[in-house]
Amino acid sequence: MAKHIQFSTTGGPDVLQYLDFTPVDPAAHEVQVENKAIGINYIDTYIRGGLYAPPHLPSGLGTEAAGIVTKVGAKISAINVGDRVVYAQSALGAYSEVHNVAADKIAILPDNISFEQAAASFLKGLTVHYLLRQTYAIKPGEVFLFHAAAGGVGLIACQWAKALGAKLIGTVGSDEKAELAKAKGAWATINYRTENIAERVAELTNGEKVGVVYDSVGKSTWLDSLNSLRRRGLMVSFGNASGPVTGVDLAILNQKGGLYVTRPSLNAYVTHRQELENASEQLFSLIASGAINVDVAKVQQFPLRDAHRAHQILESRQTTGSSLLIP
């Protein structure tokens, strides 16, 4: 027997249940991982709440964790029992002591990166990789806008931008979060509670605005993001923390200067093992070099049984950086 988190109906954090289950052996192309640290991501709240419907109910939750391989499927040769691994695109169910994961979603974890560091940074780091290196390739010296700069993805983006020699303007919700984002490498910050985002972007860029905005907030920042873009700029919408953007009249893109909009996801950029290895190697290299610092001492850590409380705190927007569940 083992423990996992399950929900039988979508809704608020209280639908999450801490239950016993009997793990099954991995299928031929799977490995079984004993999770040591589990990543909590905002998309988990969308699935639990029903914005992104789970494939069936009852359902497990979570797609990211780090741990040790305890069993391998019959057709697995490149991964061995005892390997330290991390994964971020598994089938739902990572909120668990034990999880079976498709082998092509697994990355071997270097010995100099802890399970906690890996689970706190893998999905978020892969997200920053595709945003800053693939969706739009940020150049040295380039100024750009990144919303929620003190969140889990945002703090990695601040550090990655600094490593690239770029100038990240980050939106934050408090002075304390502004200080944190700057300490991690943000060039400038905007407190969206007290400052007008688009006006402040214009001031910081001497009226030029920016060529790209990365927006994971959604509904409440949609117009601010468009208004921060220069002519023919790119709006990258990759999340809905304030609710989804709906009912968009595409003519607004023309009115604001022939803008472009894209809605990417990790699943569109990491579609097979080679792409996963390429992205993870870049992330691990930056962590190992110290360019990206995942301070696990300051990461919010919760026992697995308290997943509901972790979600309550995450959705209250009280957190900074990453949060973990510990089996």
Side-chain angles (χ1 to χ4, degrees), residues 53-170:
H56 58 77
L57 290 171
S59 173
L61 190 60
T63 62
E64 175 185 36
I68 297 173
V69 175
T70 53
K71 295 181 180 180
V72 298
K75 296 187 177 181
I76 302 302
S77 58
I79 302 172
N80 301 301
V81 171
D83 281 349
R84 303 173 75 252
V85 297
V86 60
Y87 58 89
Q89 294 171 286
S90 74
L92 292 177
Y95 284 20
S96 179
E97 293 177 340
V98 177
H99 189 36
N100 292 344
V101 184
D104 62 359
K105 306 299 184 185
I106 291 281
I108 301 298
L109 184 62
D111 290 338
N112 58 357
I113 298 176
S114 71
F115 294 123
E116 292 81 6
Q117 285 177 306
S121 66
F122 196 54
L123 179 59
K124 300 170 184 68
L126 295 182
T127 297
V128 174
H129 175 264
Y130 83 71
L131 290 173
L132 303 193
R133 308 310 300 140
Q134 296 178 287
T135 304
Y136 178 98
I138 294 294
K139 298 176 288 294
E142 183 164 12
V143 183
F144 65 98
L145 181 64
F146 201 104
H147 287 288
V153 173
L155 289 179
I156 292 176
C158 289
Q159 296 175 81
W160 208 314
K162 183 178 180 180
L164 292 171
K167 297 179 178 180
L168 181 150
I169 301 172

Side-chain angles (χ1 to χ4, degrees), residues 15-76:
V15 303
L16 299 179
Q17 300 173 291
Y18 181 64
L19 301 173
D20 290 316
F21 79 109
T22 302
V24 299
D25 287 340
H29 293 282
E30 292 181 332
V31 301
Q32 188 170 95
V33 181
E34 179 184 335
N35 290 332
K36 299 298 185 182
I38 302 161
I40 303 173
N41 295 285
Y42 216 93
I43 193 172
D44 301 342
T45 69
Y46 300 158
I47 295 168
R48 184 215 72 222
L51 178 62
Y52 298 163
H56 58 77
L57 290 171
S59 173
L61 190 60
T63 62
E64 175 185 36
I68 297 173
V69 175
T70 53
K71 295 181 180 180
V72 298
K75 296 187 177 181
I76 302 302

Side-chain angles (χ1 to χ4, degrees), residues 193-235:
R193 297 186 189 278
T194 60
E195 299 177 283
N196 181 289
I197 293 172
E199 289 179 1
R200 186 66 180 133
V201 167
E203 290 174 4
L204 289 166
T205 60
N206 295 317
E208 292 186 7
K209 302 186 180 181
V210 296
V212 62
V213 174
Y214 297 98
D215 191 337
S216 63
V217 178
K219 183 178 180 179
S220 68
T221 51
W222 166 250
L223 287 178
D224 287 321
S225 293
L226 298 185
N227 290 333
S228 298
L229 287 165
R230 67 173 67 107
R231 187 165 60 100
R232 297 199 301 272
L234 174 63
M235 160 66 167

